[in-house]
Amino acid sequence: MVDQASIRYAQLEDLTALRDLCVRSFCSAFATDDNVSDIDAYVSESFSEARIREELLDARNTFLLLFLEDSDRPLGYGKLRAGEVDPCIRGDRPIEVERLYLDSAAIGKGLGAQLMSACLAEAEKQAAQTVWLGVWEHNERAIAFYERWGFKRVGSHVFVLGSDKQNDFIMQRSLPSA
C-alpha cells in the first residue's frame, strides 16, 4: 500500500518535531540490535536540540520532511550533506544522503521510496552527479532498499555508536545527469 505524502524543506521552526523524529526513528531502527547505553550516548550527542539547530543553520545540510496529508507531524526525513566525502567515493560532484529515516509506523507503505526520490531530486537540483551514503553492514533491509535504488557498495568505514565501533558499507550511485 502506498500512502500519499508531501515533502518539504525543514525550517528552524521544525526543530522540536525534527529532533523528536530523529530520536524516535533512530531508536526504533537500532535499539534491538545495539547496547542501550551506546544508543543513548549517540542520541544525546547527535540529536540534541543544539546539534540539530546547528545542522539546520549550516548551508551544507538540507533536511527534507515527509508528512502524510492528514498530519502536521513528520513521519520521515532525509538529510543531505555537501562537503566532506569518504575517500572511497569516485564520482564527480558528490553529495551524501547522510540520513534517511521513517517513523516505524510508516515503514512498508512506500514512503521510503517517496523520500528517496525527493532526496535524489534535491541532489540533482544542487548539481550533484554522485550520491553516496553509509549503511550499517548488518542492516540488510536498508542495504536491499539502497540496492533497488541503484546504489553499489564501493567501500566501508568505521561508525562509532557510543563506545561500539561498527562497520558501515559505503554505497554510491550516479545521477541521470552524470
Side-chain angles (χ1 to χ4, degrees):
M1 178 175 120
V2 177
D3 286 333
Q4 194 53 32
S6 63
I7 298 172
R8 67 167 174 81
Y9 294 107
Q11 304 296 323
L12 202 50
E13 299 79 44
D14 298 309
L15 176 63
T16 300
L18 175 58
R19 181 196 177 280
D20 292 347
L21 177 59
C22 289
V23 171
R24 191 172 63 250
S25 60
F26 187 85
C27 289
S28 175
F30 301 110
T32 59
D33 296 313
D34 290 293
N35 180 295
V36 172
S37 62
D38 288 331
I39 294 279
D40 289 346
Y42 182 81
V43 164
S44 68
E45 178 184 331
S46 298
F47 301 132
S48 69
E49 283 202 18
R51 178 77 174 263
I52 299 289
R53 176 186 306 278
E54 182 180 303
E55 290 178 350
L56 281 166
L57 294 172
D58 186 337
R60 295 173 296 179
N61 298 320
T62 303
F63 283 89
L64 300 174
L65 296 176
L66 178 141
F67 298 85
L68 290 182
E69 291 177 352
D70 59 348
S71 177
D72 60 353
R73 179 180 165 210
L75 288 180
Y77 78 102
K79 178 187 175 196
L80 287 88
R81 184 172 61 102
E84 290 181 41
V85 178
D86 195 89
C88 67
I89 301 302
R90 296 291 176 244
D92 293 327
R93 296 201 308 261
I95 191 166
E96 179 183 13
V97 176
E98 187 177 32
R99 297 188 190 128
L100 186 80
Y101 285 95
L102 292 175
D103 184 273
S104 61
I107 294 174
K109 298 182 178 183
L111 297 172
Q114 292 178 54
L115 191 54
M116 176 58 83
S117 182
C119 286
L120 295 177
E122 178 62 26
E124 283 188 71
K125 183 178 171 185
Q126 293 186 27
Q129 291 183 345
T130 303
V131 179
W132 69 280
L133 53 84
V135 58
W136 186 36
E137 67 182 340
H138 298 295
N139 193 342
E140 294 174 9
R141 183 178 189 156
I143 293 167
F145 175 81
Y146 298 135
E147 287 174 340
R148 285 192 303 275
W149 281 90
F151 286 87
K152 305 267 189 254
R153 184 175 165 197
V154 296
S156 65
H157 69 204
V158 173
F159 177 85
V160 180
L161 180 76
S163 64
D164 187 18
K165 293 180 180 174
Q166 300 181 350
N167 188 51
D168 274 9
F169 293 150
I170 304 300
M171 301 177 81
Q172 77 173 52
R173 65 161 281 178
S174 296
L175 290 172
S177 60

